[in-house]
Amino acid sequence: MFRLKEFENDKQICMNFEDDRDRFQGAVVPPIFQNTLFTYPSLGDLVEAVKEEKNHYVYGRGTNPTVEIVEKKLAALERGEDCKTFGSGMAAISAAIINSVQSGDHILCVSNLYYSTMELIKYLGKFNISHSVVYSTNTEEILKAIQSNTKVIFLESPTDLKFRLIDLEEISKLAKEKGIRTIIDNTWATPLFQKPLMFGIDIVVHSAAKYLGGHSDVLGGALITSKKIMKSLFNKEYLLMGAAMPPSEGALLLRGLRTLPLRMLSHQENALKVAEYLESHSKIAKVHFPGLESHPDYGLGKKQLAGYSGLMSMELTEANYRQVEKVINKMKAFKIGVSFGSFESLVMSPNLSNNAGQLLEENISPGIIRLAVGLEDVNVLLRDLEQSLSD
Ligand SMILES: *Cc1c(COP(=O)(O)O)cnc(C)c1O
């Protein structure tokens, strides 16, 4: 596990503006390059630039100076060689997956994935790309689920909703031996609390709308990987699918990153208190949060996580939609809404009243409620939970 030294480094990366001072006349915040193209002194210069658009400013769908600063920071935070940002997390995820498969290939999904990622993978069936899901985070079980045509293992660790951890070192070693590419969605942990590339994972993707942006005002995504993978990905999935991050969003994301270390420490502090409170509550059957010592993967977390974010779930002892609805509707400090990772605390449930059967099939209790613990005073949040869980 990477410790204080790494965190100290990361803080500097998040805040540093020294690299750009000379380019931007000492501006403490870099300007927003709100232009779609760059002109060149001669045709020859333009021709040269177009040959390697990744490293030259040619057209806004490729590389933009404001956005490029964020990309350099994210690559450095993940300890990766290269990064490209996208218009959304799903754009980054689509690019990563499509770059890694072709017709006839199989994608192995590990345990519960983010809903839209799973829908995308199902949709790829249209192109004769098959998939299967292994509802386990155990390396042995994952190994057994690999098929002869498996080309990608897609994972989230912690997993969606139950926050189980996958041993990243083991899984990437095993995948490498079989020539399978590993892609991880690292949105939950952020690069501050988990650096999957250091464990041998091939591609890291993020939704920047969550902790990275942190203020519920940026939509974006990021993909961090090796120079080799990025080379093909930039020229194909990035330029051709055309989901570039706009410069204005890049500037907001850059602002979000400056407070990322501060925010993550506060999310962690609040979340640990909320999780401990809920764990001792008589109306709660279970709390899913890898920061609790009772969590089945607490030990593994100590090895591969450097901290815990604010997203968790709890299971009501009375596990039905009526009760889930009643508890959620009583909440005041926790607002009802999708997403997470921002200053505000949020609550929702995947129990949509008519899908209890499907939830059970996916190993999820119908009494499950997801909480995104924000940056409010924790006592306000604890009191809100207390009153909403009371009769
Ligand atoms: C939000 C989210 C996504 C999708 O990202 P968008 O920016 O909404 O496209 C993917 N994975 C996880 C874990 C997310 O939370």
Side-chain angles (χ1 to χ4, degrees), residues 12 69 97 102 133 184 208 216 225 234 237 283 292 362 374:
Q12 282 312 105
I69 296 169
I97 293 176
Q102 54 190 18
V133 183
I184 190 171
S216 296
T225 186
F234 177 83
E237 286 75 19
K283 297 259 178 69
L292 289 174
E362 294 177 12

Side-chain angles (χ1 to χ4, degrees), residues 88-380:
S88 72
M90 280 314 299
I93 290 166
S94 304
I97 293 176
I98 293 169
N99 181 264
S100 308
V101 289
Q102 54 190 18
S103 178
D105 288 348
H106 170 260
I107 301 172
L108 181 60
C109 307
V110 180
S111 205
N112 308 89
L113 296 182
Y114 179 73
Y115 175 77
S116 300
T117 303
M118 205 54 237
E119 288 299 297
L120 169 73
I121 290 171
K122 286 182 196 162
Y123 181 65
L124 293 178
K126 177 175 160 171
F127 303 105
N128 191 29
I129 291 158
S130 60
H131 74 275
S132 54
V133 183
V134 49
Y135 284 108
S136 168
T137 51
N138 178 280
T139 310
E140 290 294 308
E141 296 294 318
I142 299 169
L143 179 62
K144 274 191 233 154
I146 290 175
Q147 302 180 6
S148 58
N149 60 340
T150 301
K151 287 288 150 56
V152 169
I153 298 178
F154 195 103
L155 38 110
E156 288 175 30
S157 180
T159 61
D160 196 34
L161 289 169
K162 288 175 83 176
F163 308 98
R164 292 297 306 266
L165 306 186
I166 295 149
D167 191 317
L168 301 183
E169 200 168 6
E170 269 181 26
I171 204 80
S172 46
K173 184 161 168 271
L174 181 156
K176 274 205 171 62
E177 283 167 7
K178 296 184 175 292
I180 299 169
R181 197 180 268 187
T182 44
I183 307 175
I184 190 171
D185 184 331
N186 200 26
T187 303
W188 185 92
T190 82
L192 295 187
F193 289 163
Q194 182 167 262
K195 299 187 195 301
L197 300 176
M198 289 176 76
F199 295 106
I201 297 287
D202 295 307
I203 303 180
V204 172
V205 287
H206 283 281
S207 166
K210 316 296 163 55
Y211 292 112
L212 298 181
H215 296 74
S216 296
D217 55 8
V218 187
L219 204 58
L223 185 159
I224 301 102
T225 186
S226 64
K227 280 208 160 74
K228 185 165 171 241
I229 293 177
M230 186 61 86
K231 195 167 180 269
S232 80
L233 195 144
F234 177 83
N235 287 315
K236 296 290 186 278
E237 286 75 19
Y238 194 79
L239 281 180
L240 303 185
M241 300 205 302
M245 170 174 282
S248 51
E249 303 293 279
L252 282 173
L253 183 51
L254 201 52
R255 181 166 73 172
L257 286 186
R258 290 192 195 106
T259 55
L260 182 67
L262 286 173
R263 288 186 287 106
M264 291 315 290
L265 291 179
S266 295
H267 280 295
Q268 169 172 256
E269 195 183 325
N270 278 0
L272 279 167
K273 285 181 186 152
V274 166
E276 275 161 18
Y277 168 77
L278 291 172
E279 193 171 40
S280 65
H281 200 289
S282 60
K283 297 259 178 69
I284 302 298
K286 208 166 200 176
V287 182
H288 300 286
F289 187 65
L292 289 174
E293 279 182 45
S294 59
H295 188 279
D297 303 319
Y298 182 74
L300 179 56
K302 284 281 160 207
K303 183 183 132 197
Q304 66 186 34
L305 287 170
Y308 312 101
S309 71
L311 191 65
M312 66 181 72
S313 67
M314 59 182 183
E315 287 174 19
L316 302 180
T317 47
E318 230 177 294
N320 59 66
Y321 179 76
R322 261 177 55 88
Q323 196 60 22
V324 164
E325 183 185 34
K326 189 177 147 205
V327 170
I328 289 181
N329 284 345
K330 280 172 89 175
M331 291 193 187
K332 297 214 164 51
F334 286 85
K335 303 296 178 198
I336 303 169
V338 296
S339 196
F340 64 92
S342 195
F343 62 93
E344 76 279 20
S345 290
L346 293 166
V347 59
M348 62 167 269
S349 173
N351 188 337
L352 309 173
S353 81
N354 57 357
N355 62 337
Q358 195 198 334
L359 287 174
L360 287 170
E361 229 169 77
E362 294 177 12
N363 225 351
I364 289 173
S365 159
I368 201 160
I369 293 178
R370 192 185 84 167
L371 295 173
V373 177
L375 301 175
E376 300 90 341
D377 190 289
V378 73
N379 293 317
V380 172

